[in-house]
Amino acid sequence: TGIQRASFSDANIVNINLPNSLKRINEGAFMETTFNNLTIPESVITIEKFAFWKAKFNGTLTINATTTLDGRTFEEIFIILQ
């Protein structure tokens, strides 16, 4: 099970609950998306390149230490300091 390219592109997400059945976040799935908080479930095995390209984070981002990331998964992200 995966989140496909541009599924949440350019969205403003306050709260999202990703299912524990999720295995993959594909390229560009959340590009240019703004998040308050995001937790990637432990079931996610791979996050592809540019999945969070130019994403903005207002809060916390939590990722399982065993998830495989492409070297460009978080390219050009913005962290908003309060």
Side-chain angles (χ1 to χ4, degrees):
T1 307
I3 297 175
Q4 300 306 311
R5 181 181 178 93
S7 293
F8 295 96
S9 178
D10 202 29
N12 187 1
I13 297 175
V14 173
N15 188 11
I16 186 170
N17 293 315
L18 300 175
N20 289 328
S21 60
L22 186 64
K23 302 286 184 206
R24 174 187 238 44
I25 298 176
N26 292 312
E27 180 178 341
F30 292 100
M31 60 186 173
E32 298 189 69
T33 298
T34 300
F35 297 92
N36 279 354
N37 297 296
L38 178 64
T39 298
I40 306 293
E42 290 185 20
S43 61
V44 174
I45 298 166
T46 304
I47 303 176
E48 293 185 354
K49 66 182 177 182
F50 307 123
F52 293 93
W53 182 71
K54 290 192 175 182
K56 297 176 182 80
F57 292 92
N58 283 319
T60 59
L61 170 64
T62 306
I63 302 172
N64 185 354
T66 61
T67 300
T68 301
L69 305 175
D70 179 276
R72 296 173 291 178
T73 296
F74 294 101
E75 189 151 311
E76 296 187 45
I77 66 164
F78 299 91
I79 298 172
I80 300 167
L81 302 175
Q82 311 248 344

mmCIF file of all heavy atoms in Angstrom, residues 52-70:
data_model
loop_
_atom_site.group_PDB
_atom_site.id
_atom_site.type_symbol
_atom_site.label_atom_id
_atom_site.label_comp_id
_atom_site.label_asym_id
_atom_site.label_seq_id
_atom_site.Cartn_x
_atom_site.Cartn_y
_atom_site.Cartn_z
ATOM 1 N N PHE A 52 8.693 14.759 -0.017
ATOM 2 C CA PHE A 52 8.345 15.955 0.753
ATOM 3 C C PHE A 52 9.062 17.186 0.195
ATOM 4 O O PHE A 52 9.414 18.097 0.930
ATOM 5 C CB PHE A 52 8.713 15.747 2.228
ATOM 6 C CG PHE A 52 7.879 14.689 2.891
ATOM 7 C CD1 PHE A 52 8.317 13.378 2.946
ATOM 8 C CD2 PHE A 52 6.657 15.014 3.440
ATOM 9 C CE1 PHE A 52 7.549 12.403 3.549
ATOM 10 C CE2 PHE A 52 5.875 14.033 4.045
ATOM 11 C CZ PHE A 52 6.326 12.731 4.096
ATOM 12 N N TRP A 53 9.249 17.238 -1.108
ATOM 13 C CA TRP A 53 9.951 18.348 -1.756
ATOM 14 C C TRP A 53 9.258 19.674 -1.445
ATOM 15 O O TRP A 53 8.046 19.811 -1.618
ATOM 16 C CB TRP A 53 10.008 18.111 -3.259
ATOM 17 C CG TRP A 53 10.733 19.147 -4.033
ATOM 18 C CD1 TRP A 53 12.079 19.371 -4.049
ATOM 19 C CD2 TRP A 53 10.173 20.104 -4.931
ATOM 20 N NE1 TRP A 53 12.389 20.400 -4.892
ATOM 21 C CE2 TRP A 53 11.226 20.882 -5.449
ATOM 22 C CE3 TRP A 53 8.872 20.383 -5.341
ATOM 23 C CZ2 TRP A 53 11.023 21.912 -6.354
ATOM 24 C CZ3 TRP A 53 8.678 21.403 -6.240
ATOM 25 C CH2 TRP A 53 9.753 22.156 -6.727
ATOM 26 N N LYS A 54 10.003 20.604 -0.917
ATOM 27 C CA LYS A 54 9.523 21.945 -0.558
ATOM 28 C C LYS A 54 8.362 21.931 0.437
ATOM 29 O O LYS A 54 7.553 22.855 0.486
ATOM 30 C CB LYS A 54 9.151 22.753 -1.797
ATOM 31 C CG LYS A 54 10.341 23.168 -2.627
ATOM 32 C CD LYS A 54 9.957 24.199 -3.662
ATOM 33 C CE LYS A 54 11.199 24.682 -4.403
ATOM 34 N NZ LYS A 54 10.858 25.718 -5.382
ATOM 35 N N ALA A 55 8.280 20.889 1.258
ATOM 36 C CA ALA A 55 7.246 20.832 2.300
ATOM 37 C C ALA A 55 7.613 21.804 3.421
ATOM 38 O O ALA A 55 8.776 22.150 3.606
ATOM 39 C CB ALA A 55 7.116 19.421 2.842
ATOM 40 N N LYS A 56 6.595 22.228 4.162
ATOM 41 C CA LYS A 56 6.789 23.139 5.301
ATOM 42 C C LYS A 56 6.257 22.449 6.552
ATOM 43 O O LYS A 56 5.163 21.899 6.541
ATOM 44 C CB LYS A 56 6.038 24.442 5.066
ATOM 45 C CG LYS A 56 6.533 25.225 3.874
ATOM 46 C CD LYS A 56 5.673 26.461 3.646
ATOM 47 C CE LYS A 56 6.118 27.228 2.439
ATOM 48 N NZ LYS A 56 5.648 26.663 1.175
ATOM 49 N N PHE A 57 7.051 22.492 7.622
ATOM 50 C CA PHE A 57 6.663 21.857 8.876
ATOM 51 C C PHE A 57 6.579 22.910 9.969
ATOM 52 O O PHE A 57 7.548 23.604 10.245
ATOM 53 C CB PHE A 57 7.673 20.769 9.268
ATOM 54 C CG PHE A 57 7.654 19.588 8.341
ATOM 55 C CD1 PHE A 57 8.498 19.543 7.247
ATOM 56 C CD2 PHE A 57 6.771 18.545 8.556
ATOM 57 C CE1 PHE A 57 8.471 18.456 6.382
ATOM 58 C CE2 PHE A 57 6.738 17.458 7.696
ATOM 59 C CZ PHE A 57 7.591 17.421 6.613
ATOM 60 N N ASN A 58 5.391 23.019 10.604
ATOM 61 C CA ASN A 58 5.168 23.938 11.721
ATOM 62 C C ASN A 58 5.400 23.269 13.063
ATOM 63 O O ASN A 58 5.523 23.940 14.068
ATOM 64 C CB ASN A 58 3.714 24.450 11.722
ATOM 65 C CG ASN A 58 3.488 25.507 10.677
ATOM 66 O OD1 ASN A 58 4.314 26.365 10.480
ATOM 67 N ND2 ASN A 58 2.356 25.434 10.001
ATOM 68 N N GLY A 59 5.384 21.949 13.097
ATOM 69 C CA GLY A 59 5.461 21.233 14.364
ATOM 70 C C GLY A 59 6.488 20.132 14.307
ATOM 71 O O GLY A 59 7.623 20.354 13.920
ATOM 72 N N THR A 60 6.068 18.911 14.637
ATOM 73 C CA THR A 60 6.996 17.792 14.704
ATOM 74 C C THR A 60 6.841 16.852 13.508
ATOM 75 O O THR A 60 5.763 16.717 12.934
ATOM 76 C CB THR A 60 6.780 16.967 15.994
ATOM 77 O OG1 THR A 60 5.438 16.478 16.001
ATOM 78 C CG2 THR A 60 7.034 17.802 17.227
ATOM 79 N N LEU A 61 7.942 16.218 13.173
ATOM 80 C CA LEU A 61 7.976 15.178 12.155
ATOM 81 C C LEU A 61 8.619 13.967 12.808
ATOM 82 O O LEU A 61 9.748 14.050 13.295
ATOM 83 C CB LEU A 61 8.796 15.632 10.945
ATOM 84 C CG LEU A 61 9.121 14.560 9.914
ATOM 85 C CD1 LEU A 61 7.846 14.043 9.258
ATOM 86 C CD2 LEU A 61 10.078 15.113 8.868
ATOM 87 N N THR A 62 7.895 12.851 12.835
ATOM 88 C CA THR A 62 8.407 11.636 13.467
ATOM 89 C C THR A 62 8.475 10.532 12.426
ATOM 90 O O THR A 62 7.482 10.232 11.758
ATOM 91 C CB THR A 62 7.486 11.200 14.629
ATOM 92 O OG1 THR A 62 7.315 12.297 15.525
ATOM 93 C CG2 THR A 62 8.067 10.014 15.369
ATOM 94 N N ILE A 63 9.690 9.931 12.303
ATOM 95 C CA ILE A 63 9.924 8.860 11.339
ATOM 96 C C ILE A 63 10.609 7.707 12.062
ATOM 97 O O ILE A 63 11.539 7.918 12.843
ATOM 98 C CB ILE A 63 10.835 9.332 10.186
ATOM 99 C CG1 ILE A 63 10.227 10.526 9.480
ATOM 100 C CG2 ILE A 63 11.086 8.208 9.192
ATOM 101 C CD1 ILE A 63 11.147 11.164 8.474
ATOM 102 N N ASN A 64 10.190 6.493 11.749
ATOM 103 C CA ASN A 64 10.807 5.294 12.300
ATOM 104 C C ASN A 64 12.258 5.199 11.826
ATOM 105 O O ASN A 64 12.559 5.430 10.655
ATOM 106 C CB ASN A 64 10.012 4.068 11.831
ATOM 107 C CG ASN A 64 10.487 2.785 12.438
ATOM 108 O OD1 ASN A 64 11.484 2.740 13.147
ATOM 109 N ND2 ASN A 64 9.761 1.726 12.160
ATOM 110 N N ALA A 65 13.147 4.859 12.706
ATOM 111 C CA ALA A 65 14.575 4.791 12.383
ATOM 112 C C ALA A 65 14.906 3.738 11.334
ATOM 113 O O ALA A 65 15.948 3.820 10.688
ATOM 114 C CB ALA A 65 15.382 4.529 13.650
ATOM 115 N N THR A 66 14.029 2.767 11.106
ATOM 116 C CA THR A 66 14.316 1.717 10.132
ATOM 117 C C THR A 66 13.739 1.996 8.748
ATOM 118 O O THR A 66 13.926 1.217 7.830
ATOM 119 C CB THR A 66 13.798 0.352 10.627
ATOM 120 O OG1 THR A 66 12.383 0.437 10.805
ATOM 121 C CG2 THR A 66 14.468 -0.052 11.927
ATOM 122 N N THR A 67 13.043 3.110 8.574
ATOM 123 C CA THR A 67 12.489 3.474 7.275
ATOM 124 C C THR A 67 13.619 3.898 6.344
ATOM 125 O O THR A 67 14.478 4.688 6.713
ATOM 126 C CB THR A 67 11.472 4.620 7.417
ATOM 127 O OG1 THR A 67 10.407 4.192 8.267
ATOM 128 C CG2 THR A 67 10.889 5.030 6.073
ATOM 129 N N THR A 68 13.613 3.387 5.113
ATOM 130 C CA THR A 68 14.624 3.739 4.127
ATOM 131 C C THR A 68 14.225 5.036 3.435
ATOM 132 O O THR A 68 13.126 5.143 2.895
ATOM 133 C CB THR A 68 14.773 2.623 3.072
ATOM 134 O OG1 THR A 68 15.136 1.422 3.735
ATOM 135 C CG2 THR A 68 15.821 2.982 2.039
ATOM 136 N N LEU A 69 15.135 6.012 3.471
ATOM 137 C CA LEU A 69 14.898 7.302 2.833
ATOM 138 C C LEU A 69 15.829 7.455 1.634
ATOM 139 O O LEU A 69 17.000 7.090 1.706
ATOM 140 C CB LEU A 69 15.188 8.455 3.806
ATOM 141 C CG LEU A 69 14.453 8.454 5.137
ATOM 142 C CD1 LEU A 69 14.957 9.601 5.995
ATOM 143 C CD2 LEU A 69 12.969 8.539 4.928
ATOM 144 N N ASP A 70 15.315 8.019 0.558
ATOM 145 C CA ASP A 70 16.172 8.411 -0.551
ATOM 146 C C ASP A 70 16.931 9.656 -0.097
ATOM 147 O O ASP A 70 16.435 10.425 0.716
ATOM 148 C CB ASP A 70 15.320 8.730 -1.787
ATOM 149 C CG ASP A 70 16.150 9.162 -2.971
ATOM 150 O OD1 ASP A 70 16.486 10.372 -3.030
ATOM 151 O OD2 ASP A 70 16.476 8.325 -3.824
#
